[in-house]
mmCIF file of all heavy atoms in Angstrom:
data_model
loop_
_atom_site.group_PDB
_atom_site.id
_atom_site.type_symbol
_atom_site.label_atom_id
_atom_site.label_comp_id
_atom_site.label_asym_id
_atom_site.label_seq_id
_atom_site.Cartn_x
_atom_site.Cartn_y
_atom_site.Cartn_z
ATOM 1 N N GLY A 1 0.841 -1.189 0.000
ATOM 2 C CA GLY A 1 0.000 0.000 0.000
ATOM 3 C C GLY A 1 0.874 1.235 0.000
ATOM 4 O O GLY A 1 2.090 1.140 0.109
ATOM 5 N N CYS A 2 0.229 2.388 -0.148
ATOM 6 C CA CYS A 2 1.033 3.605 -0.172
ATOM 7 C C CYS A 2 0.231 4.784 0.332
ATOM 8 O O CYS A 2 -0.968 4.688 0.542
ATOM 9 C CB CYS A 2 1.539 3.870 -1.571
ATOM 10 S SG CYS A 2 0.216 4.167 -2.742
ATOM 11 N N GLU A 3 0.933 5.873 0.534
ATOM 12 C CA GLU A 3 0.277 7.115 0.935
ATOM 13 C C GLU A 3 0.882 8.251 0.120
ATOM 14 O O GLU A 3 2.026 8.167 -0.325
ATOM 15 C CB GLU A 3 0.433 7.365 2.440
ATOM 16 C CG GLU A 3 1.863 7.536 2.910
ATOM 17 C CD GLU A 3 1.966 7.762 4.413
ATOM 18 O OE1 GLU A 3 0.936 7.833 5.094
ATOM 19 O OE2 GLU A 3 3.106 7.872 4.882
ATOM 20 N N GLU A 4 0.078 9.275 -0.079
ATOM 21 C CA GLU A 4 0.569 10.437 -0.823
ATOM 22 C C GLU A 4 0.741 11.595 0.149
ATOM 23 O O GLU A 4 -0.187 11.978 0.837
ATOM 24 C CB GLU A 4 -0.414 10.807 -1.924
ATOM 25 C CG GLU A 4 -0.440 9.786 -3.048
ATOM 26 C CD GLU A 4 -1.619 9.989 -3.978
ATOM 27 O OE1 GLU A 4 -1.777 11.112 -4.472
ATOM 28 O OE2 GLU A 4 -2.369 9.027 -4.175
ATOM 29 N N VAL A 5 1.955 12.078 0.231
ATOM 30 C CA VAL A 5 2.248 13.217 1.100
ATOM 31 C C VAL A 5 2.837 14.328 0.228
ATOM 32 O O VAL A 5 3.896 14.151 -0.373
ATOM 33 C CB VAL A 5 3.251 12.828 2.219
ATOM 34 C CG1 VAL A 5 3.445 13.990 3.182
ATOM 35 C CG2 VAL A 5 2.761 11.606 2.981
ATOM 36 N N LYS A 6 2.123 15.445 0.160
ATOM 37 C CA LYS A 6 2.544 16.607 -0.645
ATOM 38 C C LYS A 6 2.974 16.188 -2.055
ATOM 39 O O LYS A 6 4.056 16.523 -2.524
ATOM 40 C CB LYS A 6 3.703 17.348 0.043
ATOM 41 C CG LYS A 6 3.302 17.968 1.370
ATOM 42 C CD LYS A 6 4.499 18.604 2.046
ATOM 43 C CE LYS A 6 4.172 18.992 3.472
ATOM 44 N NZ LYS A 6 5.322 19.042 4.338
ATOM 45 N N GLY A 7 2.107 15.400 -2.694
ATOM 46 C CA GLY A 7 2.386 14.998 -4.072
ATOM 47 C C GLY A 7 3.402 13.886 -4.206
ATOM 48 O O GLY A 7 3.614 13.356 -5.298
ATOM 49 N N GLU A 8 4.080 13.530 -3.113
ATOM 50 C CA GLU A 8 5.057 12.426 -3.130
ATOM 51 C C GLU A 8 4.346 11.133 -2.751
ATOM 52 O O GLU A 8 3.583 11.099 -1.797
ATOM 53 C CB GLU A 8 6.161 12.685 -2.100
ATOM 54 C CG GLU A 8 7.152 13.762 -2.514
ATOM 55 C CD GLU A 8 8.297 13.182 -3.332
ATOM 56 O OE1 GLU A 8 8.971 12.265 -2.829
ATOM 57 O OE2 GLU A 8 8.492 13.646 -4.468
ATOM 58 N N VAL A 9 4.618 10.080 -3.505
ATOM 59 C CA VAL A 9 4.013 8.791 -3.197
ATOM 60 C C VAL A 9 5.022 7.937 -2.448
ATOM 61 O O VAL A 9 6.162 7.786 -2.881
ATOM 62 C CB VAL A 9 3.559 8.079 -4.495
ATOM 63 C CG1 VAL A 9 3.026 6.699 -4.171
ATOM 64 C CG2 VAL A 9 2.497 8.889 -5.201
ATOM 65 N N GLN A 10 4.601 7.435 -1.297
ATOM 66 C CA GLN A 10 5.509 6.615 -0.490
ATOM 67 C C GLN A 10 4.855 5.285 -0.178
ATOM 68 O O GLN A 10 3.708 5.219 0.238
ATOM 69 C CB GLN A 10 5.827 7.364 0.814
ATOM 70 C CG GLN A 10 7.046 6.832 1.502
ATOM 71 C CD GLN A 10 7.359 7.624 2.775
ATOM 72 O OE1 GLN A 10 6.722 8.623 3.082
ATOM 73 N NE2 GLN A 10 8.330 7.156 3.510
ATOM 74 N N CYS A 11 5.609 4.193 -0.396
ATOM 75 C CA CYS A 11 5.079 2.859 -0.101
ATOM 76 C C CYS A 11 5.058 2.637 1.415
ATOM 77 O O CYS A 11 5.887 3.176 2.140
ATOM 78 C CB CYS A 11 5.933 1.788 -0.763
ATOM 79 S SG CYS A 11 5.832 1.818 -2.566
ATOM 80 N N LEU A 12 4.096 1.826 1.853
ATOM 81 C CA LEU A 12 3.945 1.522 3.278
ATOM 82 C C LEU A 12 4.081 0.024 3.532
ATOM 83 O O LEU A 12 3.849 -0.774 2.643
ATOM 84 C CB LEU A 12 2.557 1.951 3.766
ATOM 85 C CG LEU A 12 2.165 3.407 3.628
ATOM 86 C CD1 LEU A 12 0.687 3.581 3.938
ATOM 87 C CD2 LEU A 12 2.996 4.281 4.553
ATOM 88 N N CYS A 13 4.433 -0.321 4.750
ATOM 89 C CA CYS A 13 4.460 -1.726 5.160
ATOM 90 C C CYS A 13 3.360 -1.940 6.191
ATOM 91 O O CYS A 13 3.154 -1.090 7.063
ATOM 92 C CB CYS A 13 5.819 -2.088 5.743
ATOM 93 S SG CYS A 13 7.106 -2.137 4.467
ATOM 94 N N PRO A 14 2.640 -3.088 6.116
ATOM 95 C CA PRO A 14 1.475 -3.286 6.978
ATOM 96 C C PRO A 14 1.765 -3.603 8.441
ATOM 97 O O PRO A 14 0.853 -3.710 9.243
ATOM 98 C CB PRO A 14 0.757 -4.468 6.320
ATOM 99 C CG PRO A 14 1.823 -5.194 5.591
ATOM 100 C CD PRO A 14 2.830 -4.193 5.179
ATOM 101 N N SER A 15 3.048 -3.772 8.810
ATOM 102 C CA SER A 15 3.347 -4.095 10.207
ATOM 103 C C SER A 15 4.671 -3.489 10.618
ATOM 104 O O SER A 15 5.549 -3.257 9.796
ATOM 105 C CB SER A 15 3.357 -5.621 10.385
ATOM 106 O OG SER A 15 4.560 -6.077 10.950
ATOM 107 N N GLY A 16 4.807 -3.239 11.926
ATOM 108 C CA GLY A 16 6.042 -2.658 12.463
ATOM 109 C C GLY A 16 7.218 -3.609 12.352
ATOM 110 O O GLY A 16 8.374 -3.199 12.464
ATOM 111 N N GLY A 17 6.926 -4.895 12.122
ATOM 112 C CA GLY A 17 7.990 -5.894 11.981
ATOM 113 C C GLY A 17 8.492 -6.016 10.558
ATOM 114 O O GLY A 17 9.276 -6.909 10.238
ATOM 115 N N LEU A 18 8.036 -5.100 9.690
ATOM 116 C CA LEU A 18 8.484 -5.082 8.288
ATOM 117 C C LEU A 18 9.074 -3.719 7.981
ATOM 118 O O LEU A 18 8.671 -2.715 8.563
ATOM 119 C CB LEU A 18 7.308 -5.339 7.336
ATOM 120 C CG LEU A 18 6.587 -6.684 7.444
ATOM 121 C CD1 LEU A 18 5.341 -6.672 6.585
ATOM 122 C CD2 LEU A 18 7.490 -7.827 7.029
ATOM 123 N N GLN A 19 10.033 -3.685 7.064
ATOM 124 C CA GLN A 19 10.591 -2.402 6.644
ATOM 125 C C GLN A 19 10.693 -2.386 5.120
ATOM 126 O O GLN A 19 10.772 -3.432 4.484
ATOM 127 C CB GLN A 19 11.958 -2.179 7.275
ATOM 128 C CG GLN A 19 13.003 -3.194 6.869
ATOM 129 C CD GLN A 19 14.307 -3.045 7.628
ATOM 130 O OE1 GLN A 19 14.382 -2.336 8.606
ATOM 131 N NE2 GLN A 19 15.333 -3.722 7.159
ATOM 132 N N LEU A 20 10.690 -1.171 4.552
ATOM 133 C CA LEU A 20 10.790 -1.047 3.097
ATOM 134 C C LEU A 20 12.145 -1.541 2.624
ATOM 135 O O LEU A 20 13.178 -1.226 3.219
ATOM 136 C CB LEU A 20 10.606 0.411 2.676
ATOM 137 C CG LEU A 20 9.182 0.893 2.434
ATOM 138 C CD1 LEU A 20 9.173 2.334 1.991
ATOM 139 C CD2 LEU A 20 8.455 0.030 1.408
ATOM 140 N N GLY A 21 12.113 -2.326 1.571
ATOM 141 C CA GLY A 21 13.350 -2.861 0.997
ATOM 142 C C GLY A 21 14.088 -1.790 0.223
ATOM 143 O O GLY A 21 13.586 -0.662 0.055
ATOM 144 N N PRO A 22 15.283 -2.126 -0.305
ATOM 145 C CA PRO A 22 16.095 -1.150 -1.041
ATOM 146 C C PRO A 22 15.374 -0.530 -2.236
ATOM 147 O O PRO A 22 15.641 0.607 -2.605
ATOM 148 C CB PRO A 22 17.309 -1.962 -1.503
ATOM 149 C CG PRO A 22 17.324 -3.191 -0.651
ATOM 150 C CD PRO A 22 15.918 -3.440 -0.230
ATOM 151 N N ASN A 23 14.423 -1.286 -2.835
ATOM 152 C CA ASN A 23 13.719 -0.740 -4.015
ATOM 153 C C ASN A 23 12.603 0.239 -3.629
ATOM 154 O O ASN A 23 12.006 0.871 -4.492
ATOM 155 C CB ASN A 23 13.154 -1.879 -4.881
ATOM 156 C CG ASN A 23 12.116 -2.731 -4.154
ATOM 157 O OD1 ASN A 23 11.701 -2.399 -3.049
ATOM 158 N ND2 ASN A 23 11.709 -3.808 -4.773
ATOM 159 N N GLY A 24 12.321 0.369 -2.311
ATOM 160 C CA GLY A 24 11.307 1.320 -1.864
ATOM 161 C C GLY A 24 9.887 0.894 -2.155
ATOM 162 O O GLY A 24 8.946 1.658 -1.941
ATOM 163 N N ARG A 25 9.685 -0.340 -2.647
ATOM 164 C CA ARG A 25 8.342 -0.818 -3.000
ATOM 165 C C ARG A 25 7.930 -2.075 -2.247
ATOM 166 O O ARG A 25 6.781 -2.237 -1.880
ATOM 167 C CB ARG A 25 8.256 -1.105 -4.509
ATOM 168 C CG ARG A 25 8.341 0.121 -5.388
ATOM 169 C CD ARG A 25 7.848 -0.162 -6.797
ATOM 170 N NE ARG A 25 8.459 -1.325 -7.414
ATOM 171 C CZ ARG A 25 9.588 -1.283 -8.127
ATOM 172 N NH1 ARG A 25 10.230 -0.144 -8.283
ATOM 173 N NH2 ARG A 25 10.069 -2.375 -8.670
ATOM 174 N N THR A 26 8.895 -2.976 -2.031
ATOM 175 C CA THR A 26 8.562 -4.220 -1.333
ATOM 176 C C THR A 26 8.969 -4.123 0.130
ATOM 177 O O THR A 26 9.848 -3.339 0.482
ATOM 178 C CB THR A 26 9.276 -5.432 -1.984
ATOM 179 O OG1 THR A 26 10.669 -5.155 -2.026
ATOM 180 C CG2 THR A 26 8.770 -5.705 -3.381
ATOM 181 N N CYS A 27 8.325 -4.943 0.950
ATOM 182 C CA CYS A 27 8.606 -4.944 2.385
ATOM 183 C C CYS A 27 9.426 -6.172 2.762
ATOM 184 O O CYS A 27 9.126 -7.277 2.307
ATOM 185 C CB CYS A 27 7.305 -4.946 3.176
ATOM 186 S SG CYS A 27 6.352 -3.431 2.928
ATOM 187 N N ILE A 28 10.456 -5.949 3.555
ATOM 188 C CA ILE A 28 11.276 -7.070 4.013
ATOM 189 C C ILE A 28 11.146 -7.222 5.524
ATOM 190 O O ILE A 28 10.888 -6.257 6.231
ATOM 191 C CB ILE A 28 12.768 -6.938 3.575
ATOM 192 C CG1 ILE A 28 13.348 -5.596 4.005
ATOM 193 C CG2 ILE A 28 12.939 -7.187 2.093
ATOM 194 C CD1 ILE A 28 14.850 -5.454 3.781
ATOM 195 N N ASP A 29 11.321 -8.460 5.988
ATOM 196 C CA ASP A 29 11.141 -8.789 7.398
ATOM 197 C C ASP A 29 12.278 -8.226 8.246
ATOM 198 O O ASP A 29 13.432 -8.241 7.839
ATOM 199 C CB ASP A 29 11.086 -10.311 7.539
ATOM 200 C CG ASP A 29 10.955 -10.752 8.988
ATOM 201 O OD1 ASP A 29 10.059 -10.241 9.670
ATOM 202 O OD2 ASP A 29 11.758 -11.588 9.428
ATOM 203 N N ILE A 30 11.925 -7.744 9.441
ATOM 204 C CA ILE A 30 12.934 -7.344 10.428
ATOM 205 C C ILE A 30 13.036 -8.528 11.391
ATOM 206 O O ILE A 30 12.018 -8.950 11.945
ATOM 207 C CB ILE A 30 12.485 -6.081 11.216
ATOM 208 C CG1 ILE A 30 12.345 -4.877 10.276
ATOM 209 C CG2 ILE A 30 13.458 -5.769 12.347
ATOM 210 C CD1 ILE A 30 11.648 -3.674 10.899
ATOM 211 N N ASP A 31 14.217 -9.090 11.539
ATOM 212 C CA ASP A 31 14.393 -10.209 12.458
ATOM 213 C C ASP A 31 14.562 -9.651 13.877
ATOM 214 O O ASP A 31 15.661 -9.297 14.293
ATOM 215 C CB ASP A 31 15.616 -11.051 12.049
ATOM 216 C CG ASP A 31 15.761 -12.316 12.886
ATOM 217 O OD1 ASP A 31 15.146 -12.380 13.971
ATOM 218 O OD2 ASP A 31 16.486 -13.229 12.467
ATOM 219 N N GLU A 32 13.428 -9.569 14.609
ATOM 220 C CA GLU A 32 13.456 -8.996 15.964
ATOM 221 C C GLU A 32 14.352 -9.798 16.906
ATOM 222 O O GLU A 32 14.876 -9.270 17.872
ATOM 223 C CB GLU A 32 12.042 -8.944 16.564
ATOM 224 C CG GLU A 32 11.100 -7.976 15.880
ATOM 225 C CD GLU A 32 10.339 -8.605 14.729
ATOM 226 O OE1 GLU A 32 10.672 -9.738 14.310
ATOM 227 O OE2 GLU A 32 9.419 -7.950 14.228
ATOM 228 N N CYS A 33 14.501 -11.106 16.619
ATOM 229 C CA CYS A 33 15.293 -11.970 17.503
ATOM 230 C C CYS A 33 16.778 -11.618 17.424
ATOM 231 O O CYS A 33 17.467 -11.605 18.439
ATOM 232 C CB CYS A 33 15.090 -13.430 17.133
ATOM 233 S SG CYS A 33 13.362 -13.947 17.248
ATOM 234 N N SER A 34 17.275 -11.321 16.217
ATOM 235 C CA SER A 34 18.706 -11.027 16.084
ATOM 236 C C SER A 34 19.029 -9.552 16.328
ATOM 237 O O SER A 34 20.147 -9.218 16.690
ATOM 238 C CB SER A 34 19.222 -11.476 14.720
ATOM 239 O OG SER A 34 18.580 -10.745 13.708
ATOM 240 N N THR A 35 18.011 -8.666 16.158
ATOM 241 C CA THR A 35 18.288 -7.237 16.371
ATOM 242 C C THR A 35 18.122 -6.858 17.847
ATOM 243 O O THR A 35 18.468 -5.751 18.242
ATOM 244 C CB THR A 35 17.347 -6.341 15.528
ATOM 245 O OG1 THR A 35 15.989 -6.687 15.861
ATOM 246 C CG2 THR A 35 17.569 -6.511 14.044
ATOM 247 N N GLY A 36 17.580 -7.789 18.657
ATOM 248 C CA GLY A 36 17.401 -7.515 20.087
ATOM 249 C C GLY A 36 16.166 -6.685 20.377
ATOM 250 O O GLY A 36 15.970 -6.212 21.492
ATOM 251 N N LYS A 37 15.287 -6.511 19.376
ATOM 252 C CA LYS A 37 14.061 -5.729 19.583
ATOM 253 C C LYS A 37 12.993 -6.565 20.275
ATOM 254 O O LYS A 37 12.039 -6.032 20.817
ATOM 255 C CB LYS A 37 13.505 -5.251 18.234
ATOM 256 C CG LYS A 37 14.220 -4.013 17.709
ATOM 257 C CD LYS A 37 13.523 -3.467 16.488
ATOM 258 C CE LYS A 37 14.213 -2.200 16.004
ATOM 259 N NZ LYS A 37 14.044 -1.984 14.584
ATOM 260 N N ALA A 38 13.160 -7.892 20.217
ATOM 261 C CA ALA A 38 12.163 -8.788 20.806
ATOM 262 C C ALA A 38 12.258 -8.783 22.323
ATOM 263 O O ALA A 38 13.344 -8.715 22.884
ATOM 264 C CB ALA A 38 12.380 -10.195 20.281
ATOM 265 N N LEU A 39 11.105 -8.834 22.974
ATOM 266 C CA LEU A 39 11.070 -8.890 24.429
ATOM 267 C C LEU A 39 10.512 -10.238 24.853
ATOM 268 O O LEU A 39 9.309 -10.462 24.787
ATOM 269 C CB LEU A 39 10.210 -7.754 24.985
ATOM 270 C CG LEU A 39 10.749 -6.338 24.773
ATOM 271 C CD1 LEU A 39 9.717 -5.292 25.110
ATOM 272 C CD2 LEU A 39 12.011 -6.107 25.609
#
């Protein structure tokens, strides 16, 4: 999905555990276990 902010189109990821990939269009998984974000 995406949102338009001041004429700029930005892709979105549906969950906080995902981040935009290098291409700015697809979402890649954040490994919470290895980044230490997991509680």
Side-chain angles (χ1 to χ4, degrees):
C2 63
E3 62 181 358
E4 290 167 53
V5 185
K6 295 176 191 154
E8 286 272 303
V9 176
Q10 198 178 355
C11 293
L12 301 170
C13 289
S15 125
L18 298 171
Q19 63 187 12
L20 273 182
N23 62 8
R25 292 197 309 271
T26 54
C27 295
I28 54 172
D29 178 51
I30 297 168
D31 186 342
E32 293 89 349
C33 301
S34 63
T35 56
K37 279 188 178 153
L39 293 169

